[in-house]
Amino acid sequence: MVRVLLAEDMHLVRGALRALLAGSEGIEVVADTGDGDRVVAAALAHRPDVAVLDVDMPGTDGITNAAVLRERLPGCGVLILTAHRRPEVLRAALAAGATGFMPKDAPPERLAEAIRTVAAGGTAIDAGIAARALTAPPSPLTERETQALALAADGCEPREIAKRLHLSAGTVRNYLAAAQVKLDARTRLDAVRLARESGWLPAGPVARG
């Protein structure tokens, strides 16, 4: 029996997933939560074989939790279940130690199959998302330009970005301007849009310094 921890903040979705998995042969949901800050504690308490984690949750996001589980509970496989089909989200999930990545609109039988695959030590990644990640062109942005643009995408002004990256405001403005030129964007918001569509902005927290 594959023991599963389910983390999804939307109550209706979590309930539907729990009911779906309860009807899948060989799978048992041993715990569920809608709070990202409770994922690791629940995993340590119930010792699941697979943690099925949503990316966007209140508190700690799913990708950060995946990285923590890799360190604290290495016997627990992680499957990211998300509405995001962007290549950078897949890359971040794999870097965090997830071995499963499925869209929320995947057929029920595929989700159950993916959970069994991850529990057995295999990799289960949606083929369409994987193909897009492999064929996406390399980013023309430097690491600092990417960090500055990602923070701008979160609504931070240059002074806040400078504080978080331990840079001067003038340097940050230069990075944002360079990113805008490289992406042939008319405005900063247009640069954010183009970078996101191309999969060049990171998912999750941006590194500081």
Side-chain angles (χ1 to χ4, degrees), residues 14-30:
R14 188 167 75 252
L17 287 171
R18 181 160 193 143
L20 163 69
L21 295 176
S24 299
E25 184 178 357
I27 294 176
E28 177 187 8
V29 177
V30 295

Side-chain angles (χ1 to χ4, degrees), residues 45-156:
H46 295 276
R47 301 281 168 170
D49 301 304
V50 178
V52 177
L53 309 179
D54 186 13
V55 170
D56 296 319
M57 298 186 67
T60 309
D61 65 86
I63 291 175
T64 300
N65 272 320
V68 176
L69 288 175
R70 178 176 60 181
E71 293 182 3
R72 301 192 60 185
L73 198 63
C76 176
V78 174
L79 187 151
I80 296 293
L81 185 65
T82 180
H84 298 301
R85 294 176 176 269
R86 300 192 303 272
E88 76 275 16
V89 180
L90 171 59
R91 295 189 192 106
L94 294 177
T99 55
F101 194 94
M102 299 293 293
K104 286 187 176 180
D105 59 358
E109 60 273 14
R110 283 182 58 198
L111 175 58
E113 180 183 352
I115 289 173
R116 295 187 188 98
T117 298
V118 170
T123 301
I125 300 174
D126 178 79
I129 300 174
R132 185 178 175 188
L134 289 172
T135 57
S139 174
L141 305 177
T142 66
E143 181 179 358
R144 281 303 200 193
E145 290 165 356
T146 301
Q147 290 173 336
L149 195 61
L151 286 169
D154 287 340
C156 295

Side-chain angles (χ1 to χ4, degrees), residues 86-88 132 141 146 148-155 176 179-180 183-202:
R86 300 192 303 272
E88 76 275 16
R132 185 178 175 188
L141 305 177
T146 301
L149 195 61
L151 286 169
D154 287 340
L176 292 173
Q180 192 171 319
L183 297 176
D184 195 21
R186 295 166 296 175
T187 65
R188 190 180 301 166
L189 288 177
D190 192 36
V192 168
R193 177 186 62 80
L194 291 168
R196 278 180 168 165
E197 289 178 354
S198 299
W200 296 332
L201 287 187

